[in-house]
Each structure stands twice: as structure tokens, then as C-alpha cells.
């Protein structure tokens, strides 16, 4: 993850500066949460209309294979039209962007928001994180610099991103973990917690606003896990490492899949082809393999007794393929939420193959391994795995399991297409992710 901004380093903040800047930080937190809530609400309304109300009105089954194929194909065409024709072209390809990056011009925001909503509602296997952080950063940098001209744009970017992450997870802790590395590496001196202070104010305001609006919930009901045993530690090490390896295999295939779709050149054809392939994958994997995966993860874990090991293998393979296609075919969205679903499914598969593994350990280790491979951030992987299982007893196991998983991913390809500059000076995606 990177945070671009002014080249000159920000000075170490004084106590007076921290107190004064807490006001815009609170405003940024509230507005970021409201923006995320609005995007989620619009996407949810459209999702219900497309997948429930419309098929009900015409007397068809919204979970049938042909309807899944139709909706995803139409979604691909719609996103392609937005990217091709609307002003701003929905911003840069999400395959080329990290979670936190340089703010976009505000004129790009409407088309980016529309493309993100269409993808979320249409069942595309991407989450809202990349687009909503880009939207909030772009709008809030422009707003705050108009109201408080002396606030550094880089600081506003950090606060907007931190607030959005806090709102998505319903707690500022996730933002603190994500931004620890960013602010610690920033030039200019000052204590780490001085630099974290304002992003945490924004994150706390964002998370509390989101909790009041929609009560976000990451955790899923799992059998209680209270006592750590050595076999559980070994199981977690194996599951996390295997999940990380699967994530690395996906990252290795990412540039080739991205190249294949973008060889069609026209954005409409790129996303339309992606929608067709996603439709086929949706028919194979069923409704559980659609959308960003958070609600579907809860359904899968709740109904785990209904799925055999073979069915879980199919779900894992289809969802990884769907994430690859969605991320490669011009759709706008993030890769972390689908990774969490895939990791949970890997954990369920491990528990089905070896019934003696506690379910909380298996699911947490699977989420940990896949998330660290996709997000390339150990802190956020540990946090998400802990948030999903809601078991403090799993935490020491996760702190051990992250070590081999990190060794697997640290020098491997990333889930990111690096941009390059062509001979005519235009930016184009490179087709080989850097290690």
C-alpha cells in the first residue's frame, strides 16, 4: 500500500496542531462513513431490484443459472459502457491501483462511483474498498484544502483513507494497523503515535458513524474456541501456508489474465467479455460465489454441513477464478473482501478433510493466508482473521501462522499490475507484477 502526496515531508505535529486538526479529522471521518454508507445502500437497493424484485415480478428464479449468466453479462456491458463513454472513465483500472494512492480529480468520482455500484450490485467478485477510498480521498482532499488551505494534502489523504477503512471494518483498530507502516516510514520525524493521532481521530469518527448507520459485522458464528493445543498450531501453520500459496498462484496468473482481457482494447468489449466469463463461473459455483463475499461467507459457514469436500473445492476454485476475472476485466473494486471469503472456504475445506481441526482455527488460518497473499499486509491479515472468528484464543496461533505465510508471499508476485510509461509518454499497465 502506498500513500502519495506532496514531496516535501510533513513536520512532526505539535500538541496544538493535533488539537486544531482534530476538527477537520472528525469531519473527514463522518463524511467518509456517510459516503461509504451511501454507496453500500445504493448498491444494496440495486442488488435487491436485480436479483429479487425483477425475477419475482416476471416469475423466474433469481438463483437459476441462466439468470446469473444474464445479469453478470449485462453488468459487464454496463460497466464497460461507463469506463468507455462517461467523463473520467471510472478512474484507473483497479488492477493497477493499491488500497491507498494519489487522489483522483473530483470529476472522475461520478463515473467511478457508478462503475463500483454496478459491479457490487451485479454480483462481480470484488469489494468496495479501492473505489470508496479513492472517492473519499478525492472529494475530501478537494474540500479540506478549500476550507483549510494550510492542511497538507498528504495528511488529508491519510485521514480520508484511514476513516474509510475504519468505517468499512466498524473499528479504528484496522486503520491503525494498516497505517502503522505508512506513517512510520514517512520522513519528517516525530513519534509514531503523534503521526497516527489524526488518522485515528478520523478512523474513530468514521467507524462510529458507520456503526450508528448500519452496524457492520465481520464476525460469523463459530463453535467456541478457548484452549490452545499444539496440534491446532501445526494445523494453522499448514492451512495458512497452503492458502497463501493459492493466493500466490492467483497472483502469478493475474498478469496473463489481465493481458488476455485487455487485448480486446475497447473497454466495453473488455468488461463484456469479463461479464460473460463471470456468468459462466456463477453458473458453475452458484450464488455463493457471487458478490464481494462477506454475506456469502456467513451463509457458507452457517450451512457448512450441506457441503462436501468436493463442493468446497469447487467453491474455492470458482471464487479464485472469479476474483481473477473481475480484477482483470476492467471492473472497479477491491480484492480484499473476496479474499476473505476464499480464505474462509479454504478453512472449511481443511476442517472437512481433517475433522479434528477446530473450526475457528481452520477458518482463521485460511483467511489469514489468503488475505496476506492478496493484501500483502500482515497486520490487516491478522486483524481480519481475528475479526471473522471473534476468538481471542486464536490470536497467538495467528501470530505464529503469519510467519510461514509471510515467507511464502514476501518475494512472490503481487495482486497488482504495475503501471509503466510507454514511449509516447502515456501510462500503460505493465503485464508482469513486481515481486
Amino acid at each position: 500500500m502506498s500513500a502519495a502526496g506532496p514531496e516535501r515531508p510533513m513536520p512532526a505535529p505539535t500538541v496544538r496542531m493535533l488539537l486544531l486538526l482534530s476538527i477537520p479529522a472528525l469531519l473527514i471521518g463522518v463524511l467518509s462513513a456517510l459516503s461509504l454508507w451511501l454507496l453500500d445502500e445504493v448498491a444494496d437497493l440495486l442488488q435487491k431490484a436485480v436479483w429479487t424484485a425483477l425475477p419475482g415480478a416476471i416469475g423466474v428464479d433469481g438463483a437459476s443459472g441462466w439468470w446469473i449468466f444474464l445479469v453478470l453479462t449485462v453488468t459487464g456491458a454496463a460497466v464497460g459502457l461507463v469506463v468507455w463513454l462517461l467523463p473520467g472513465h471510472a478512474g484507473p483500472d483497479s488492477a493497477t491501483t493499491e488500497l491507498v494512492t494519489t487522489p483522483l480529480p473530483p470529476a472522475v468520482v461520478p463515473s467511478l462511483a457508478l462503475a463500483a455500484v454496478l459491479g457490487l450490485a451485479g454480483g462481480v467478485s470484488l469489494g468496495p474498498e479501492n473505489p470508496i477510498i479513492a472517492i473519499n480521498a478525492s472529494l475530501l482532499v478537494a474540500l479540506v484544502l478549500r476550507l483549510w488551505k494550510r492542511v497538507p494534502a498528504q495528511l488529508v489523504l491519510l485521514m480520508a483513507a484511514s476513516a474509510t477503512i475504519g468505517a468499512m471494518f466498524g473499528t479504528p483498530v484496522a486503520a491503525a494497523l494498516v497505517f502503522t507502516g505508512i506513517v512510520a516510514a514517512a520522513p519528517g520525524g516525530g513519534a509514531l503515535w503523534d503521526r497516527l493521532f489524526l488518522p485515528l481521530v478520523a478512523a474513530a469518527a468514521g467507524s462510529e458513524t458507520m456503526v450508528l448507520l448500519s452496524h457492520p459485522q465481520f464476525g460469523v458464528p463459530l463453535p467456541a474456541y478457548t484452549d490452545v493445543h499444539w496440534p491446532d498450531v501445526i494445523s494453522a501453520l499448514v492451512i495458512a501456508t497452503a492458502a497463501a500459496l493459492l493466493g500466490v498462484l492467483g497472483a502469478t496468473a493475474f498478469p496473463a489474465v489481465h493481458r488476455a482481457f485487455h487485448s480486446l482494447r475497447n473497454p466495453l468489449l473488455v468488461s463484456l467479455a469479463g461479464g460473460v466469463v463471470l456468468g459462466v463461473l456463477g453458473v458453475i459455483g452458484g450464488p455463493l460465489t457471487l458478490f464481494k463475499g462477506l454475506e456469502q461467507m456467513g451463509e457458507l459457514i452457517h450451512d457448512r454441513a450441506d457441503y462436501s469436500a468436493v463442493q468446497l473445492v469447487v467453491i474455492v476454485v470458482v471464487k479464485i477464478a472469479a476474483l481473477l476475472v473481475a480484477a482483470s476485466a476492467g471492473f472497479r473494486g477491491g480484492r480484499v473482501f473476496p479474499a476473505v471469503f476464499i480464505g474462509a472456504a479454504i478453512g472449511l475445506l481443511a476442517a472437512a478433510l481433517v475433522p479434528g481441526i477446530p473450526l475457528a482455527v481452520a477458518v482463521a488460518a485460511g483467511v489469514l493466508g489468503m488475505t496476506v497473499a492478496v493484501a500483502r499486509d500482515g497486520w490487516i491479515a491478522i486483524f481480519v482473521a481475528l475479526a471473522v472468528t471473534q476468538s481471542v484464543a486464536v490470536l497467538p496461533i495467528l501470530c505464529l501462522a503469519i510467519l510461514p505465510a509471510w515467507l511464502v508471499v514476501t518475494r512472490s508476485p503481487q495482486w497488482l499490475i504495475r503501471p509503466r510509461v510507454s514511449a509516447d509518454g502515456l501510462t500503460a499497465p505493465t503485464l508482469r507484477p513486481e515481486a
Side-chain angles (χ1 to χ4, degrees), residues 29-73:
V30 173
L31 292 179
S32 296
L34 288 172
S35 175
L36 172 62
W37 176 79
L38 181 61
L39 187 86
D40 280 344
E41 286 296 302
V42 172
D44 187 56
L45 287 173
L46 183 58
Q47 176 183 328
K48 290 176 180 176
V50 169
W51 293 97
T52 304
L54 181 57
I58 61 178
V60 301
D61 181 6
S64 62
W66 74 269
W67 186 260
I68 291 173
F69 178 82
L70 176 65
V71 171
L72 281 163
T73 301

Side-chain angles (χ1 to χ4, degrees), residues 297-310:
M297 176 181 65
E299 293 178 23
L300 181 62
I301 292 176
H302 180 268
D303 300 329
R304 58 189 177 275
D306 298 336
Y307 297 93
S308 67
V310 173

Side-chain angles (χ1 to χ4, degrees), residues 6 8 12 88 132 156 194 238 335 363:
R8 70 176 190 276
I132 192 59
V156 180
D194 281 343
V238 173
R335 299 173 282 277
V363 170

Side-chain angles (χ1 to χ4, degrees), residues 21-377:
L21 290 178
S22 294
I23 298 173
L26 289 168
L27 175 65
I28 287 170
V30 173
L31 292 179
S32 296
L34 288 172
S35 175
L36 172 62
W37 176 79
L38 181 61
L39 187 86
D40 280 344
E41 286 296 302
V42 172
D44 187 56
L45 287 173
L46 183 58
Q47 176 183 328
K48 290 176 180 176
V50 169
W51 293 97
T52 304
L54 181 57
I58 61 178
V60 301
D61 181 6
S64 62
W66 74 269
W67 186 260
I68 291 173
F69 178 82
L70 176 65
V71 171
L72 281 163
T73 301
V74 172
T75 299
V79 172
L81 288 171
V82 171
V83 175
W84 181 28
L85 299 176
L86 289 192
H89 305 288
D93 182 358
S94 289
T96 67
T97 61
E98 299 189 63
L99 199 58
V100 184
T101 187
T102 306
L104 302 171
V108 174
V109 167
S111 59
L112 175 57
L114 179 57
V117 165
L118 290 172
L120 289 169
V124 174
S125 292
L126 292 173
E129 57 271 22
N130 286 50
I132 192 59
I133 290 176
I135 290 168
N136 285 343
S138 301
L139 295 179
L140 289 168
V141 165
L143 175 63
V144 172
L145 293 186
R146 179 178 292 272
L147 297 178
W148 293 281
K149 298 184 187 302
R150 297 180 63 183
V151 180
Q154 183 184 20
L155 179 59
V156 180
L157 169 62
L158 289 176
M159 288 191 289
S162 181
T164 308
I165 293 171
M168 280 193 296
F169 291 101
T171 170
V173 176
L177 295 174
V178 170
F179 283 90
T180 295
I182 294 177
V183 301
L192 173 62
W193 277 89
D194 281 343
R195 292 183 169 277
L196 278 175
F197 184 87
L198 293 170
L200 272 178
V201 171
S207 63
E208 288 305 311
T209 301
M210 198 65 185
V211 166
L212 291 173
L213 288 171
S214 64
H215 305 287
Q217 179 59 261
F218 237 75
V220 293
L222 289 167
Y225 181 77
T226 56
D227 298 319
V228 176
H229 303 284
W230 278 111
D232 302 341
V233 176
I234 303 302
S235 299
L237 294 173
V238 173
I239 296 168
T241 304
L245 283 169
L246 281 176
V248 168
L249 288 176
T252 303
F254 191 18
V257 178
H258 188 272
R259 182 191 302 116
F261 280 105
H262 284 264
S263 66
L264 298 173
R265 307 190 72 83
N266 185 286
L268 172 59
L269 296 179
V270 171
S271 294
L272 176 58
V276 170
V277 177
L278 288 175
V280 173
L281 290 171
V283 172
I284 297 171
L288 273 180
T289 59
L290 306 180
F291 305 103
K292 63 185 179 183
L294 192 58
E295 293 180 8
Q296 291 71 28
M297 176 181 65
E299 293 178 23
L300 181 62
I301 292 176
H302 180 268
D303 300 329
R304 58 189 177 275
D306 298 336
Y307 297 93
S308 67
V310 173
Q311 289 174 309
L312 290 171
V313 169
V314 172
I315 288 172
V316 169
V317 172
V318 167
K319 191 65 176 182
I320 292 176
L323 174 56
L324 268 172
V325 172
S328 300
F331 294 97
R332 299 310 194 247
R335 299 173 282 277
V336 174
F337 280 75
V340 175
F341 174 92
I342 295 168
I346 291 171
L348 289 178
L349 174 59
L353 294 174
V354 186
I357 303 175
L359 194 61
V361 172
V363 170
V367 170
L368 177 82
M370 183 56 65
T371 303
V372 77
V374 172
R376 198 57 68 89
D377 189 301

